[in-house]
Amino acid sequence: MLSVTVVWHEQAFAKEYPSWQDVLEAREDEEKTQEKIEELQGLIDELATEYQAAEEEAARLGQIFVEAQQDLDDAIYTQEQLQAEADAASDTAEESRMQAGQFVAELARAGGGDLQATIFVNADEADGLLRRLGYASKIAEQTDGIYAKALADQNTAQSLTDQAEVASEIREELQVEAEATFDAANDAALRAAEALDEQLEASATLEAQLAVLVEEREATEEDYQAGVIARQLSEVRGMIDPGQISASGWARPTGGYISSHYGNRIHPIYGTTRFHAGIDLAHPCGQPVYAAREGTVSYAGWLGTGGNFIRLNHGDGVTTGYMHLQSGSMYVNFGERVQTGQLIARVGTTGGSTGCHLHFETRRDWDPVDPYYFMGDRGVRLG
């Protein structure tokens, strides 16, 4: 069983920061001003260091999950292939068994009883009986081969069934590992998001206070808050309309053409054959990415070779995943409720990517489902 070590670094959450009154009082004394400048700069640097550590830990655990998910996807594909082969072999073995049984019955009908008495009493049927005996003789010559084939087919079916059962057990173990690594990566991503929020919120105030001391100008907390409100309003005005929604209530996640389909493929970067659990939609970086369906954000952060990643949980075991998102364009956070067609991010090329595209996944209870047909059944054509 895979063991995931989580390394948490002490964060600066709930630490006390200088008030605006402290800053204004420090301006009255040159020595206190210099001390306050050093204190503010130290707090800003500390926040940046804490966020970097949290981000690195999230990236490390995210990569572990990506690898665990890939192993699970490969195991699912292998188990399903083996089960299909085992089912087909079982059908073949049953046909061979029936054929062998028919030969045995034919031999019994042709050669049973007192042959001389039968010919004497039923002279009219003698010719037919002798012909049947001729056929039986030929059948008898093939008996060993027929039995051998039936036995070989049965052994093949049993072997494949055994392999499928082992593959199923491996699949179950890998799913447990994938779920564990997902939870660890999710916690780390949430921790990094909290560290980033702390850095952005506290650093903005600290830098504004620092500017007051360094530039020796008058400023108040009210001035700062007015600037925050203005910035928030400008961001809201920049939002765009949601993605087009089908009659069944699902939205097309983004535009572009399909540059890589679902299924086994040779990885464009690593050159190895791996299972591709989604489809790649080639689209220019910066283009919008929409929620395919309303749901809850179950992951939002860096995910190793997946780059910036968002997973939405739509209920009943159905999830959608969005990979390689543009840095700085993650518009939703863990635990947030989103609506169908809501703008959640923008197309990027982060992580293991060779160009701007969205890797889009659909899953049921962790098992990947081909997004092209999954979305097509819901009135949304991809590509």
Side-chain angles (χ1 to χ4, degrees):
M1 183 67 66
L2 178 66
S3 175
V4 180
T5 302
V6 180
V7 182
W8 294 127
H9 299 273
E10 290 298 323
Q11 301 293 323
F13 305 129
K15 67 158 59 80
E16 293 186 2
Y17 297 105
S19 67
W20 281 91
Q21 185 60 38
D22 293 337
V23 172
L24 294 177
E25 289 177 358
R27 292 182 71 252
E28 305 301 322
D29 183 284
E30 184 175 344
E31 183 176 346
K32 289 183 178 180
T33 296
Q34 188 58 40
E35 290 177 356
K36 188 62 65 177
I37 288 175
E38 292 176 0
E39 178 187 355
L40 292 172
Q41 187 61 61
L43 287 169
I44 292 171
D45 293 343
E46 185 179 346
L47 284 167
T49 300
E50 289 166 352
Y51 167 61
Q52 182 178 357
E55 188 179 44
E56 289 175 354
E57 179 66 358
R60 184 183 73 84
L61 293 175
Q63 182 59 34
I64 291 175
F65 167 66
V66 166
E67 293 170 0
Q69 180 72 80
Q70 181 66 68
D71 289 342
L72 173 59
D73 290 342
D74 288 341
I76 289 172
Y77 179 78
T78 298
Q79 187 269 330
E80 289 177 346
Q81 293 294 109
L82 281 171
Q83 189 60 59
E85 291 176 13
D87 292 342
S90 294
D91 292 341
T92 300
E94 180 62 17
E95 291 175 3
S96 295
R97 188 187 69 79
M98 293 294 294
Q99 186 179 22
Q102 290 170 357
F103 281 132
V104 170
E106 182 67 20
L107 284 172
R109 285 196 300 272
D114 187 336
L115 181 58
Q116 289 182 348
T118 300
I119 294 174
F120 178 77
V121 174
N122 301 292
D124 293 341
E125 298 179 10
D127 289 343
L129 179 58
L130 290 172
R131 282 198 300 273
R132 288 174 59 201
L133 283 173
Y135 297 150
S137 177
K138 293 180 180 179
I139 291 172
E141 293 174 1
Q142 302 175 22
T143 300
D144 291 342
I146 292 168
Y147 279 136
K149 182 178 186 303
L151 182 60
D153 289 344
Q154 181 60 43
N155 289 339
T156 298
Q158 187 60 53
S159 175
L160 287 169
T161 299
D162 292 342
Q163 291 179 53
E165 289 176 356
V166 171
S168 182
E169 293 174 0
I170 293 173
R171 168 180 173 170
E172 291 174 1
E173 292 174 359
L174 289 174
Q175 178 160 338
V176 172
E177 292 181 3
E179 290 175 355
T181 57
F182 175 77
D183 289 340
N186 207 1
D187 289 343
L190 181 59
R191 186 80 171 181
E194 291 173 349
L196 178 60
D197 289 343
E198 177 80 357
Q199 182 192 24
L200 293 177
E201 182 177 352
S203 292
T205 302
L206 293 171
E207 288 173 357
Q209 293 173 340
L210 185 62
V212 168
L213 295 175
V214 173
E215 299 173 14
E216 298 184 352
R217 59 180 175 80
E218 295 291 341
T220 65
E221 185 176 3
E222 287 74 19
D223 296 332
Y224 170 71
Q225 292 299 336
V228 170
I229 293 172
R231 185 174 67 253
Q232 289 175 342
L233 288 175
S234 67
E235 290 175 353
V236 171
R237 294 190 191 100
M239 295 296 283
I240 65 173
D241 294 334
Q244 185 178 0
I245 302 174
S246 71
S248 64
W250 285 74
R252 186 179 181 187
T254 196
Y257 64 91
I258 298 177
S259 57
S260 185
H261 287 270
Y262 175 92
N264 265 6
R265 68 166 186 175
I266 297 177
H267 196 283
I269 294 178
Y270 309 112
T272 56
T273 299
R274 302 301 299 268
F275 184 77
H276 189 224
I279 62 174
D280 292 343
L281 296 167
H283 210 31
C285 285
Q287 290 299 306
V289 174
Y290 304 111
R293 180 73 169 179
E294 67 179 352
T296 303
V297 180
S298 59
Y299 195 96
W302 187 265
L303 198 66
T305 54
N308 293 317
F309 174 71
I310 291 174
R311 172 170 285 172
L312 302 181
N313 186 338
H314 308 291
D316 296 326
V318 176
T319 62
T320 53
Y322 312 77
M323 282 187 184
H324 308 303
L325 303 172
Q326 188 177 59
S327 295
S329 75
M330 306 273 278
Y331 301 136
V332 294
N333 297 311
F334 175 81
E336 184 177 336
R337 186 74 183 173
V338 300
Q339 300 303 312
T340 305
Q342 180 178 331
L343 177 67
I344 58 173
R346 294 187 182 277
V347 175
T349 183
T350 54
S353 171
T354 58
C356 298
H357 73 283
L358 172 69
H359 171 93
F360 179 66
E361 291 184 356
T362 51
R363 292 178 180 268
R364 283 197 187 96
D365 298 323
W366 289 86
D367 289 0
V369 182
D370 191 334
Y372 186 86
Y373 297 105
F374 180 91
M375 295 299 288
D377 290 342
R378 289 154 181 78
V380 179
R381 185 179 184 278
L382 300 175

